[in-house]
Amino acid sequence: MNVRLGAKTKEFNTKMGQAARTLKKFGKNMQNIGRTMTTSMTLPLVAAGGASIKLSLDFQKSMTKIQTLVGKSSEEIKTMSSDVLAMSGDVAKSPVELAEGLYFLESAGLRGANAMDTLESVAKGSASGLGEMEALSVVAAAAQNAYGEETLSASDALDKFGVMVRTGMFDAQELSNVLGRQLGLAANLGGSFDEVG
C-alpha cells in the first residue's frame, strides 16, 4: 500500500509540476500580450489624448487673441468658437487653423458675419489647393478693404485670384503678398480688381 501511495504521490507531484509550468508559461504569454497592448494601444491613446489637449489649448489661445487684441466680448468669442468648431468639419481645416485665420481677418478689419463668410471661403479655397490659408486671407481681406465687401465678396475675390494664379503662372504666396500691398493703392487710383490682375 505504501508503494502504491508513493507512486500516486510521485504521479501527483509530476502532474502538479506540469500544471505549474503550464501556468507559468501562460503567465508569460499574458505578460507579453499586456506589453503588446500597452505599446500598441495604450501609448498611442495617451499620445492622442496629449495631442488633443494641445490642440484644444492652441484653439483657446487663438480665440483669446481675438478677444484681447481685436476687442471682442466673451459672448462674441463663445459664438465665434462654436461657429469655427462647426465649420472645421465642413472645410477640412482644423479648428486651430480656422481660429488663426479668423484672427487675421478680424485684425484686418473684417467683422461679424462677413468675417465668418470670408473665413469659410478662404478655408475652402485652401482645401481645394488654391493656396495656404494665410495667403488667401491676405487677398480676401485686402480686396474687401480696398473695394468694399458689398462690391467684392471674399468668394469673388478668391475666384479672381485663382484665375490670376493659373493664367499668370504665379506662386499664390508671392502674388498674395503683392496684392495685399497694392490693392488699396489700385482702388484709390480707380483700378478694378480685374485690372490689377
Side-chain angles (χ1 to χ4, degrees):
M1 185 163 185
N2 270 346
V3 173
R4 259 166 118 207
L5 188 59
K8 292 277 187 192
T9 303
K10 187 175 179 183
E11 183 182 344
F12 176 77
N13 288 338
T14 302
K15 295 283 185 191
M16 287 303 289
Q18 288 173 346
R21 285 190 295 279
T22 301
L23 283 172
K24 189 174 181 180
K25 187 176 179 181
F26 177 75
K28 284 184 181 179
N29 286 340
M30 292 308 290
Q31 280 182 325
N32 289 337
I33 289 170
R35 268 190 231 109
T36 301
M37 286 180 70
T38 297
T39 304
S40 304
M41 295 175 70
T42 305
L43 292 178
L45 287 174
V46 168
S52 176
I53 290 169
K54 182 182 179 339
L55 287 174
S56 177
L57 291 173
D58 290 346
F59 176 72
Q60 289 303 321
K61 180 180 172 184
S62 296
M63 296 309 291
T64 300
K65 274 193 330 191
I66 294 171
Q67 183 175 7
T68 57
L69 300 177
V70 178
K72 296 291 182 179
S73 71
S74 296
E75 285 305 311
E76 289 173 307
I77 292 299
K78 281 182 188 176
T79 302
M80 290 173 142
S81 294
S82 296
D83 292 346
V84 166
L85 290 172
M87 186 186 298
S88 73
D90 296 335
V91 297
K93 290 292 178 183
S94 75
V96 174
E97 288 177 289
L98 293 173
E100 283 297 313
L102 183 59
Y103 170 70
F104 176 83
L105 295 171
E106 287 276 344
S107 297
L110 278 61
R111 297 288 183 258
N114 180 47
M116 293 305 291
D117 291 344
T118 301
L119 179 63
E120 185 173 6
S121 294
V122 165
K124 286 179 178 178
S126 178
S128 71
L130 182 57
E132 296 297 320
M133 289 266 303
E134 180 183 347
L136 300 181
S137 294
V138 167
V139 171
Q144 289 187 59
N145 286 335
Y147 298 101
E149 67 183 82
E150 61 285 336
T151 304
L152 186 62
S153 72
S155 60
D156 289 341
L158 293 175
D159 287 344
K160 292 176 183 190
F161 177 73
V163 171
M164 291 177 200
V165 170
R166 284 189 298 277
T167 60
M169 297 187 312
F170 295 109
D171 174 67
Q173 185 70 40
E174 292 172 5
L175 182 58
S176 72
N177 290 334
V178 171
L179 291 176
R181 289 190 305 269
Q182 303 302 323
L183 283 177
L185 176 63
N188 286 334
L189 294 174
S192 71
F193 189 84
D194 292 320
E195 291 171 331
V196 172

